[in-house]
Amino acid sequence: MIEDKVLESSVTVLRTPLVDIEIVDEEDNNVPFDIVESWNSDHDVYINNDENNIIEATDYEEKQIRIRTASLEIGKTYYVKTSVPIESRASDERLFTFGYTEGTQTFAISLPDPNELSKLLPDEFGDEWEWYGFNAEESSGKKAVSFYLIDREKEHIYIATAWIWNIHDHMENYESAAEVFTWIV
């Protein structure tokens, strides 16, 4: 298990140059969370998805939001609220990613989806869901993601974020890199 390096405790907003992020309940009340250092160590950008054309990302930052499950009510709906509308970008095993790009900057946020197989194949995996349920809403926006706690088996829920700036060429490749930076949950 990786030890968390806590950067800030009990905050209500993670501020980035592009998108501010809050965790709120159904009544729009803030849920405090910790900001912890990312576990990621790979920071390459594949130009045109070519393994022979890789550059190192230099102007980036990444952090994780760590929500204590003890601070959440089981079954209550919570939202990842953003200061600007974010859009669905990609998904990987047991997570999905949203992002936002403006000018020479891009931002990505990945949300855990531990029940992905139960959602996709309910006949095979049944309705026994684990830990917490994250859902991407039908439309992008400022509350594009909702979630709820199923049980307290896990002490924390992690949400990974990354942003890259000073991008002057190959924005699509940098958007993909920011997304992959967050694929750690």
Side-chain angles (χ1 to χ4, degrees):
M1 172 90 181
I2 298 171
E3 178 101 13
D4 291 337
K5 180 177 178 188
V6 178
L7 304 172
E8 295 181 61
S9 295
S10 296
V11 299
T12 56
V13 180
L14 168 62
R15 297 192 189 285
T16 78
L18 286 175
V19 180
D20 293 342
I21 303 153
E22 300 172 77
I23 306 301
V24 299
D25 65 15
E26 297 162 335
E27 291 82 35
D28 219 29
N29 297 312
N30 285 95
V31 174
F33 55 86
D34 300 328
I35 298 172
V36 299
E37 195 171 83
S38 176
W39 303 326
N40 190 12
S41 61
D42 187 16
H43 299 97
D44 295 330
V45 179
Y46 285 68
I47 303 300
N48 299 322
N49 208 22
D50 181 354
E51 65 184 31
N52 296 312
N53 192 6
I54 301 171
I55 58 175
E56 185 178 342
T58 54
D59 295 330
Y60 68 89
E61 192 163 346
E62 55 195 332
K63 293 187 167 73
Q64 290 188 89
I65 293 170
R66 183 179 77 176
I67 306 165
R68 295 182 188 283
T69 57
S71 69
L72 305 175
E73 291 181 37
I74 292 176
K76 186 173 184 178
T77 302
Y78 297 91
Y79 298 91
V80 177
K81 181 179 175 183
T82 56
S83 58
V84 296
I86 56 176
E87 62 185 11
S88 179
R89 290 270 176 88
S91 64
D92 197 19
E93 292 178 35
R94 298 172 65 111
L95 63 83
F96 55 92
T97 305
F98 278 75
Y100 178 76
T101 299
E102 182 180 298
T104 61
Q105 303 177 79
T106 191
F107 167 84
I109 182 170
S110 284
L111 299 304
D113 193 5
N115 299 296
E116 177 183 48
L117 293 176
S118 294
K119 290 178 193 175
L120 295 174
L121 305 166
D123 292 338
E124 189 173 332
F125 290 93
D127 59 0
E128 289 292 318
W129 286 25
E130 302 179 275
W131 313 320
Y132 30 81
F134 271 80
N135 297 301
E137 302 302 319
E138 290 297 316
S139 62
S140 298
K142 292 184 178 183
K143 287 185 180 176
V145 177
S146 64
F147 68 98
Y148 57 94
L149 185 65
I150 295 169
D151 62 45
R152 289 196 170 81
E153 182 178 331
K154 300 287 184 186
E155 184 179 0
H156 300 106
I157 298 171
Y158 292 89
I159 300 172
T161 66
W163 53 99
I164 306 174
W165 60 93
N166 289 333
I167 306 164
H168 301 287
D169 296 308
H170 306 286
M171 179 57 83
E172 286 183 17
N173 301 121
Y174 279 90
E175 286 175 340
S176 293
E179 293 161 15
V180 172
F181 289 5
T182 65
W183 289 3
I184 57 176
V185 291

